Every structure is written in C-alpha cells, then in structure tokens.
Amino acid sequence: MHIAIAGNIGSGKTTLTKMLAHRYGWTPRFEPVDNNPYLADFYADMERWSFNLQIYFLNKRFKEVVEISKSKETIIQDRTIFEDARIFAPNLHAQGKMSDRDFENYSDLFDLMMSLVNLPDLMIYIRSTIPNLVAQIQKRGRDYEQSIRLDYLEGLNNRYEEWISGYKGNLIIIDGDRIKFGDNPADFKEVTDMIDAKLFGLFPLE
C-alpha cells in the first residue's frame, strides 16, 4: 500500500511519518529537505528561485511515486506530489513569485506525470491554523524557515483547504491544533484508531 501524509509547513508531517512507520512497520519516505540545493536560496529570493525549487521537488517526488508503485512494501510518504502542483506552485504564481510562462511549463509537466500515476491508497491530511504552524516552525528552529512570511503560510493554508475539499481518494483529516500526536500517547492512539478503522475495519479500502 501507499500511505501519504499531507499538510502545511510545520504541521507535523515528518513526526507523524516516523511514528506511523514505527507503529505499523511501514517503510518511510521523507521529504528531501536537508539536501535540497535550492531551499535556502528560495527563502532568500522566492521570485528568482521558485521555478527551480518546484521542478526539483516535482522531479524527486515523481521518482518516488514510480518507485512506490513498483514496491511490494507498504510505504508511508512525507508530503505528496499533489501538494507541489496543487498548492505550492499555484500559490507562488498567485503571489507573483512565479511567472506565467514558468507556471504553465510546470503545470504541463505535472499533468503529464499525473497521467502515469495513481492516487495513494490512503491520504492523511493534518489540518492546522497559522498560529500553530508558526509555533511548530519556531520550535524546530531551521534557520532558512525563520524568514517565512505569514501571508505565504496563509496562502498555502487556503489552497490546502481548497484542494482537500475536492480530494477524491480515501482520506483521513487530523486536527493538528487539537491532536498533539507527537507529545501525547492518547492523541497518537486517536490517530491510529482512525487509520485502523479505515484500513482494517468493517469497511476496508477497496
């Protein structure tokens, strides 16, 4: 199976990926952040580096999706290819950080890729408000993230909600403000109970 975790910057995707991989014995695939050659430059000058960054992510995640589709393991993925194309790139374009020409080129490439892959077997979306995201970002202390603007996060959050409201696959939504799965074992159990019901309950995935 392919399990995917979606959510805004600072929502707790990586933490939940690690915890679920350990709990279920799934194979984790993490977002390529630490070795990303564009990320620091992007946060310093979004308009200059937005297209480069998004193509980098699209390339890496398409490779992952192809590898996952061929794997016999159950893989849990930290962030999905859909978020890059439906949330991050359109948000940059709308804010004037990506040109029309670059956005059209990017979108055409994404549409071609999507004709070749399937939706995950289960999508887990961590919903979070801006104050909670800011607190989480400050807590983990990545230098290049400290310059993220609130309007950038707000734009992403709005697009996440728009995307998830029309998502057609199997979906679980976690209230990231209320359910502190990383700190509270009872909250983590609430998450795993939802997953167990979806994957192994009376009405399993088709």
Side-chain angles (χ1 to χ4, degrees):
M1 286 189 295
H2 176 194
I3 316 298
I5 299 183
N8 205 343
I9 301 165
S11 60
K13 296 181 304 300
T14 301
T15 297
L16 188 57
T17 299
K18 291 176 181 177
M19 294 176 73
L20 292 176
H22 179 73
R23 164 68 174 76
Y24 291 100
W26 295 339
T27 301
R29 291 291 189 99
F30 296 105
E31 185 178 16
V33 171
D34 292 337
N35 297 320
N36 189 318
Y38 294 105
L39 206 54
D41 288 332
F42 166 74
Y43 283 127
D45 187 349
M46 289 187 177
E47 190 169 348
R48 165 65 182 85
W49 294 103
S50 62
F51 181 72
N52 306 70
L53 178 74
Q54 291 306 131
I55 289 294
Y56 175 86
F57 276 130
L58 192 63
N59 174 42
K60 293 293 185 182
R61 262 188 269 277
F62 183 65
K63 287 181 180 178
E64 278 194 342
V65 169
V66 171
E67 290 171 3
I68 290 170
S69 70
K70 296 177 180 178
S71 176
K72 298 186 183 302
E73 299 177 303
T74 293
I75 292 175
I76 182 164
Q77 185 184 26
D78 174 2
R79 186 163 278 154
T80 70
I81 194 171
F82 306 98
E83 293 164 82
D84 291 311
R86 299 301 183 216
I87 294 157
F88 283 85
N91 189 57
L92 288 166
H93 178 240
Q95 292 189 343
K97 304 299 185 183
M98 184 183 292
S99 69
D100 292 343
R101 178 180 60 181
D102 285 347
F103 183 65
E104 289 170 8
N105 187 7
Y106 176 90
S107 298
D108 285 346
L109 181 57
F110 173 77
D111 289 341
L112 172 62
M113 290 176 171
M114 286 304 92
S115 69
L116 304 172
V117 301
N118 298 317
L119 292 175
D121 296 295
L122 177 63
M123 179 75 73
I124 302 170
Y125 170 54
I126 306 173
R127 173 178 281 149
S128 184
T129 61
I130 297 300
N132 190 52
L133 295 174
V134 170
Q136 292 288 92
I137 290 169
Q138 291 176 341
K139 181 179 177 181
R140 69 187 182 192
R142 293 174 181 163
D143 290 341
Y144 56 78
E145 289 182 341
Q146 303 310 307
S147 61
I148 297 177
R149 293 169 54 97
L150 289 179
D151 61 344
Y152 178 69
L153 283 177
E154 186 70 46
L156 293 176
N157 242 19
N158 292 338
R159 289 183 183 276
Y160 264 106
E161 290 301 317
E162 180 181 353
W163 168 64
I164 216 68
S165 68
Y167 185 75
K168 302 301 183 184
N170 291 292
L171 175 67
I172 290 172
I173 297 178
I174 296 171
D175 181 349
D177 286 20
R178 181 182 67 83
I179 302 176
K180 301 298 183 183
F181 48 81
D183 301 318
N184 189 332
D187 285 0
F188 180 58
K189 185 177 184 302
E190 184 175 344
V191 173
T192 59
D193 284 349
M194 286 190 284
I195 293 171
D196 289 344
K198 197 74 164 178
L199 294 181
F200 314 119
L202 293 176
F203 303 99
L205 298 176
E206 297 178 355

